[in-house]
Amino acid sequence: MAEKKYANFSARIARWRIWFQTAFLFAWLGPFSTRIHTVCGPTFHCYSCPFATFACPIGVMANFSSLHLIPFLAIGTVLLTGALIGGFLCGWICPFGFFQDLVGKIPTKKYKLPAWSGYLRYVILGVFVVWIPYELGKDHWGFICTLCPAGALEAALPSMGQAALNGDPIVWPSAVKLSIVGVLLGGMLFVQRPWCALLCPLGAIYGLTNYFSFLHLKVNKHTCTDCGLCKKTCKYGVDPRSKLDEQRCIRCLDCTKCGHVSASTVLMHNNQGKKSTASASEETLVQIDSEK
Amino acid sequence: MLLRLFHRGLIPLAFGACAVAALIYGAKYNTVAVHIEQEVPPEPPLVFINLMTGLPTIMDPVTGDFVIVNEEGKPVPIDPMTGLPPGYTPPPMPGDPMGGDPFGAPMGGDPFGDPMGGDPFGNPMGGDPANVPLGVTETPVLNTIETEPVFELVKTGDPESESIIVSDVTIGGLELLASGLIRRTYSGAPPLLCPT
C-alpha cells in the first residue's frame, strides 16, 4: 500500500538503499576470506581490514605516489565506475558510507554544511594522497593511510581485538588517528556523513564524475511545481532543481520522493514524471512526514 | 536531446574507454622493476705471511695496517716491546749465521747466484730464495674471519606487473630508495596485513 504513494520507480527503490548497502558488504568484506588484493576495489575500504576483499583505491594511489609510479589500475577502476554510476557508488555501495548512515540514524539534530565545504575533499586528495606521499614519502605523518579513520575503524580496531583475544601485545593506532576517529564519530551525530561531505578523497573523484556519469539524476521540468520538497529532503543541502549534478550529491535518491526527480540514463526515455501530478507530490509529502 | 546524448552518452563513453585502456595497460603492460636485498657471500680476505716473523697477517680494512692473526684468522695480542705475540720466537732471519744471507754471507745463500752459495730459486742446500722481498708474500689460507653480513640490491627476476605491485603495497611491502629504485621490504612469505 505504501509503495503506491511514491511517485516513481526511483523513489520506490530508494527505500531499499540500506539493503543494497548491506548486500554489498558481502562483496567488500569477503565472507569466505577471499582476498583479491591484486585488484583495486571501487570503494573506500581499508585493505588492512582482516576481511577486505579488494585493495582500497585511495591507499593504492597514495602508495603509488610514494613510489613515484602511476596507478593505472586504480585510476582505471575509479574512472570506469565513475563514468558509469558516478556518486551512486557513495550512496549505495560504499561500506564506510553505510557505517556513517547507520550512525546517522541516531536521532539527533543534523546540520547541513555549506556548499563550499565539499571542496575541502579536493585539498585532501591533492595534499594527503598525492603531494605528501610523492614528496615526503609514506613514513610522513601526513600520509593518508596513517590518518584515515576508515583504516582505524576497519583495520586497527579489529586487529587490536584479535591481539587482545590472542593475548598478544596490543598495538594502538597513533593519537592523531584516534583523535580523527573520535571527532568523526561525534560529528556523525550532528552532520550526515561528515567524512563523505567534508574529507573523503574518493568521494571527491566520484563527485566530479557526477557531472558526466551515464547514470544520473533528472528533473522533469514539465511537471516540477517548484515545491522545494527535493531540497527539503536532501540531507546534504543540495537543491536538485538548480544543481542537479552537485559534486556533493551521493545519489541517495531521497530527493526522488517528490516525484519529479528520478534516476535516468540516455537509454531511458523517462516520462514517469509526466504521469505524476501535484497530488502525487502531496501524497509523497504525507508519506515522508509520516516516516519522520 | 542531442546535447543530452553527448553529455550523458558520449562523454561517459569516452571516459569509460579511457578507463578500460588504463585497466588493460595496467594489467598487461605496465611493469616495474623491483629490487630485493640479497646477502653477498664474503670474499676470503687475503692472508699474507710476514717473512720477518713467519706469522700470517691480514690487512685491516679500516687502517690499512697488517695485523698478525692466529690459525683461525683472528687477531692475536701483541707484545708492545717485541711487536710479536708473547712467547713467540721468530725463525732465523736472512743474514743470520744459521740461516741464508741474501747479501751473500759466506755461510748463507748467495742472492746473486754464486755457485757456492744459496740457490736463488730456492735450492734446499742454499739459503732463502734471494729474490723474495723482505715484505710479505701472498698465501692462500682458509677463510675463518667472522665479518658482518653484506647485502646488495638485486633485481627480482622479471619486472613485476602492476597487479603484483598493488598487492604488495597493501601489505606495506615496497619502499622507494631512490627515484626508480624500489625495494621489496619482505622476503619469503608476504605478511598478511599492512603495518600502517
Side-chain angles (χ1 to χ4, degrees), chain A residues 25-107:
Chain A
L25 275 186
F26 288 96
W28 313 132
L29 290 182
F32 306 110
S33 299
T34 312
R35 296 172 72 81
I36 316 172
H37 283 191
T38 52
V39 176
C40 270
T43 57
F44 195 73
H45 182 60
C46 184
Y47 42 60
S48 287
C49 170
F51 305 106
T53 309
F54 301 108
C56 167
I58 291 298
V60 169
M61 285 180 191
N63 273 288
F64 269 61
S65 183
S66 75
L67 297 173
H68 295 188
L69 300 173
I70 300 174
F72 288 100
L73 288 177
I75 291 173
T77 305
V78 172
L79 196 59
L80 182 63
T81 313
L84 287 175
I85 61 174
F88 277 96
L89 183 132
C90 303
W92 291 71
I93 295 174
C94 179
F96 195 56
F98 181 39
F99 173 75
Q100 293 174 86
D101 280 343
L102 292 178
V103 178
K105 287 193 179 296
I106 296 172

Side-chain angles (χ1 to χ4, degrees), chain A residues 35 49 57 83 190 212 215 256 277:
Chain A
R35 296 172 72 81
C49 170
F190 303 104
F212 59 82
L215 186 60
T256 62
T277 60

Side-chain angles (χ1 to χ4, degrees), chain B residues 9 23 42 49 59 95 105 109 113 118 122-123 126 137 139 152 154 178 180 183 190 194 196:
Chain B
L23 286 172
I49 300 297
M59 191 173 73
N123 189 325
T137 184
T139 307
E152 68 175 4
V154 293
R183 183 176 79 92
C194 177
T196 310

Side-chain angles (χ1 to χ4, degrees), chain A residues 51 157-170:
Chain A
F51 305 106
L157 289 182
S159 297
M160 289 166 64
Q162 194 174 19
L165 286 176
N166 295 342
D168 299 332
I170 295 175

Side-chain angles (χ1 to χ4, degrees), chain B residues 53-108:
Chain B
T53 61
L55 291 172
T57 60
I58 63 168
M59 191 173 73
D60 188 321
V62 178
T63 63
D65 296 336
F66 283 90
V67 181
I68 298 174
V69 294
N70 59 18
E71 291 176 352
E72 295 176 351
K74 294 179 178 174
V76 295
I78 301 296
D79 184 349
M81 296 297 290
T82 62
L84 295 171
Y88 178 76
T89 305
M93 298 290 291
D96 187 301
M98 299 304 290
D101 183 358
F103 301 104
M107 299 301 287

Side-chain angles (χ1 to χ4, degrees), chain A residues 13 18 31 66 82 89 92 96 105 150 161 168 171 183 223 240-241 256 264 275 279 282:
Chain A
I13 203 174
I18 192 169
S66 75
L89 183 132
W92 291 71
F96 195 56
K105 287 193 179 296
D168 299 332
V171 180
V183 170
T223 59
R241 295 167 299 172
T256 62
S264 179
K275 293 176 183 174
S279 62
E282 286 164 7

Side-chain angles (χ1 to χ4, degrees), chain A residues 125-158:
Chain A
L125 177 66
V127 174
F128 293 94
V129 178
V130 178
W131 184 75
I132 285 181
Y134 188 88
E135 289 292 337
L136 305 173
K138 65 178 182 179
D139 295 328
H140 191 267
W141 65 266
F143 186 71
I144 185 73
C145 292
T146 60
L147 303 173
C148 180
L153 289 170
E154 295 165 356
L157 289 182

Side-chain angles (χ1 to χ4, degrees), chain B:
Chain B
M1 181 62 193
L2 279 178
L3 186 64
R4 185 167 175 243
L5 189 66
F6 175 76
H7 183 196
R8 295 295 180 179
L10 289 180
I11 291 181
L13 193 65
F15 274 99
C18 291
V20 171
L23 286 172
I24 292 173
Y25 179 76
K28 295 191 82 172
Y29 302 108
N30 188 26
T31 56
V32 179
V34 176
H35 297 73
I36 53 171
E37 275 190 342
Q38 202 171 56
E39 187 173 352
V40 181
E43 289 186 10
L46 294 176
V47 179
F48 304 93
I49 300 297
N50 188 325
L51 293 181
M52 300 290 285
T53 61
L55 291 172
T57 60
I58 63 168
M59 191 173 73
D60 188 321
V62 178
T63 63
D65 296 336
F66 283 90
V67 181
I68 298 174
V69 294
N70 59 18
E71 291 176 352
E72 295 176 351
K74 294 179 178 174
V76 295
I78 301 296
D79 184 349
M81 296 297 290
T82 62
L84 295 171
Y88 178 76
T89 305
M93 298 290 291
D96 187 301
M98 299 304 290
D101 183 358
F103 301 104
M107 299 301 287
D110 181 357
F112 302 104
D114 186 339
M116 300 304 288
D119 183 353
F121 300 103
N123 189 325
M125 298 304 288
D128 291 335
N131 58 350
V132 173
L134 285 174
V136 292
T137 184
E138 185 178 329
T139 307
V141 173
L142 285 177
N143 170 37
T144 54
I145 305 289
E146 289 181 7
T147 56
E148 290 292 322
V150 179
F151 294 92
E152 68 175 4
L153 284 174
V154 293
K155 282 184 182 176
T156 57
D158 293 330
E160 307 279 11
S161 72
E162 192 179 327
S163 300
I164 302 298
I165 302 296
V166 168
S167 177
D168 269 353
V169 300
T170 64
I171 51 173
L174 295 175
E175 69 175 0
L176 184 74
L177 297 178
S179 190
L181 189 62
I182 295 170
R183 183 176 79 92
R184 181 168 282 150
T185 55
Y186 65 90
S187 59
L192 279 178
L193 298 174
C194 177
T196 310

